[in-house]
Amino acid sequence: MLLLRRFVSSSYRGRSALEIGALSRPCSTASSSSSSTEASGGTLGIHVFRCPDAVGIVAKITECIALRGGNIHGVDVFVPEDKPIFYSRSEFVFDQAKWPREAMEIEFLKIKELFNADQSIVRVPDLDPKFKIAVLASKQDHCLIDVLHGWQDGRLPVHINCVISNHQRDPNTHVIRFLERNGIPYHYLPTTPGNKREDEILDLVVGSDFLVLARYMQILSGKFLRCYGKDIINIHHGLLPSFKGGNPSRQAYDAGVKLIGATSHFVTEDLDEGPIIEQMVERVSHRDNLRSFVQKSENLEKQCLAKAIRSYCELRVLPYEVAKTVVF
């Protein structure tokens, strides 16, 4: 019977890829941090893989890296108990002179074909372009501002193509001044119940790799999702699946909960039911009022959205079944 691979501490850290490759089916190791420059030198590479489960997959991947002089820094593996599907994410450091980017792509493609994989993605953060995103927001600024500052500080490895909002902001606001200083276009598209301006939004987000809804309080139609065809990450100011829809802080407060939360998830046609990427919680008590619920919720939203964006860019988020994710 297939068993769920449990994460183990970084027992492989510092060992060569060849040593790890000698183990045909190890348990997963905890991933190292995704900084592109490690203490041992070299360039960081990331590889994610999904295929029918089989013996020797990890060995083949690590052998491929070892033959080019690469050094494994972390391998995460997951196989569900009830389905023979193999998921993995590997971090390794390599010498660009010994292993050119183009050759790496070809060699991992051979492994994909060998195991009939439906997903094999290679990313080298130092060499590959940053993910291009468009950010959609409404009236509230806290998540938008945090994303902008995260980009400016380098905490979010993205390039922001534009910000789109259905709420007009005064030219002297912090957000508009920030966008103007950094050359990020701002598009104000007021919406009505009969016109969500979706065609215009689609024109503006051409070229983006994924969208971020930073408290965008409009429901995107199924037609929009199909036309865009790429991932959209949303932040919900509640702990899904509880307290869906509008005003979840009021719902949670009225319910007398002792934990509140925020949920980042992919957008689907079913409102607030897309696969969950990240959730964060904070304890509340009878001493809290609705205002403190909202304040605590906003802090959670910022952290939760930022972590989801980072995880996505670091290839840590893999789709699993219809409504689930594997997050390494």
Side-chain angles (χ1 to χ4, degrees):
M1 181 179 68
L2 295 172
L3 298 178
L4 173 68
R5 272 65 170 181
R6 296 178 179 273
F7 287 0
V8 182
S9 62
S10 301
S11 56
Y12 293 159
R13 182 174 297 280
R15 297 176 64 177
S16 71
L18 189 58
E19 289 175 299
I20 299 173
L23 305 173
S24 63
R25 294 306 301 272
C27 293
S28 62
T29 69
S31 293
S32 64
S33 64
S34 290
S35 59
S36 59
T37 302
E38 300 288 345
S40 59
T43 302
L44 175 72
I46 304 169
H47 176 248
V48 297
F49 200 65
R50 184 178 66 193
C51 69
D53 192 31
V55 174
I57 303 172
V58 174
K60 200 68 180 178
I61 292 172
T62 54
E63 179 187 43
C64 173
I65 297 169
L67 290 175
R68 288 291 193 160
N71 187 37
I72 294 285
H73 277 217
V75 178
D76 288 316
V77 173
F78 170 69
V79 176
E81 291 184 350
D82 59 343
K83 291 187 178 180
I85 304 174
F86 175 92
Y87 298 82
S88 73
R89 179 184 183 276
S90 306
E91 284 191 6
F92 55 94
V93 174
F94 69 100
D95 184 339
Q96 296 180 41
K98 295 179 180 178
W99 202 6
R101 182 69 177 82
E102 297 77 10
M104 179 185 295
E105 200 76 47
I106 293 170
E107 288 166 22
F108 278 120
L109 178 60
K110 293 178 182 177
I111 298 176
K112 178 181 179 181
E113 294 171 347
L114 176 64
F115 290 103
N116 195 28
D118 62 355
Q119 186 174 65
S120 178
I121 302 173
V122 185
R123 183 160 181 81
V124 181
D126 278 355
L127 302 180
D128 298 344
K130 290 184 177 180
F131 286 97
K132 294 180 287 232
I133 68 170
V135 183
L136 280 68
S138 290
K139 185 175 182 179
Q140 290 182 293
D141 283 339
H142 59 285
C143 284
L144 172 60
I145 289 174
D146 191 70
V147 170
L148 294 174
H149 286 173
W151 163 78
Q152 184 182 53
D153 298 341
R155 290 182 286 113
L156 298 180
V158 297
H159 173 79
I160 301 176
N161 282 358
C162 65
V163 172
I164 302 168
S165 179
N166 63 330
H167 176 77
Q168 189 166 22
R169 287 169 170 80
D170 186 271
N172 200 37
T173 59
H174 174 72
V175 168
I176 297 301
R177 293 200 306 269
F178 181 97
L179 296 175
E180 288 177 346
R181 285 198 307 270
N182 291 280
I184 300 173
Y186 179 79
H187 303 283
Y188 166 50
L189 297 178
T191 58
T192 65
N195 185 4
K196 302 290 185 161
R197 312 293 290 272
E198 290 188 344
D199 289 340
E200 292 163 87
I201 294 173
L202 285 169
D203 289 339
L204 292 171
V205 301
V206 170
S208 62
D209 294 304
F210 65 98
L211 302 184
V212 173
L213 307 188
R215 293 300 304 276
Y216 185 62
M217 307 305 290
Q218 299 292 316
I219 298 174
L220 298 174
S221 70
K223 179 183 176 183
F224 179 94
L225 301 181
R226 290 188 294 273
C227 289
Y228 181 62
K230 301 176 186 176
D231 289 324
I232 303 174
I233 296 176
N234 184 44
I235 184 67
H236 179 76
H237 49 307
L239 194 60
L240 294 175
S242 300
F243 312 126
K244 299 178 183 178
N247 209 346
S249 293
R250 165 62 78 176
Q251 295 181 51
Y253 178 73
D254 290 344
V257 301
K258 301 307 179 188
L259 286 174
I260 61 170
T263 304
S264 57
H265 65 96
F266 290 115
V267 176
T268 63
E269 291 191 48
D270 298 318
L271 179 64
D272 294 337
E273 293 189 13
I276 291 172
I277 303 170
E278 182 60 57
Q279 291 186 299
M280 293 184 176
V281 298
E282 182 171 339
R283 182 164 292 279
V284 292
S285 75
H286 59 279
R287 299 185 184 279
D288 282 283
N289 54 32
L290 181 57
R291 179 182 297 176
S292 64
F293 263 56
V294 171
Q295 290 173 340
K296 291 179 178 180
S297 177
E298 289 181 354
N299 287 331
L300 290 172
E301 291 162 36
K302 293 186 292 186
Q303 298 173 58
C304 193
L305 180 59
K307 187 170 182 181
I309 296 171
R310 286 197 304 272
S311 294
Y312 187 91
C313 292
E314 292 171 1
L315 305 187
R316 297 184 183 276
V317 185
L318 284 73
Y320 169 49
E321 296 183 338
V322 176
K324 297 180 181 179
T325 55
V326 173
V327 182
F328 286 129

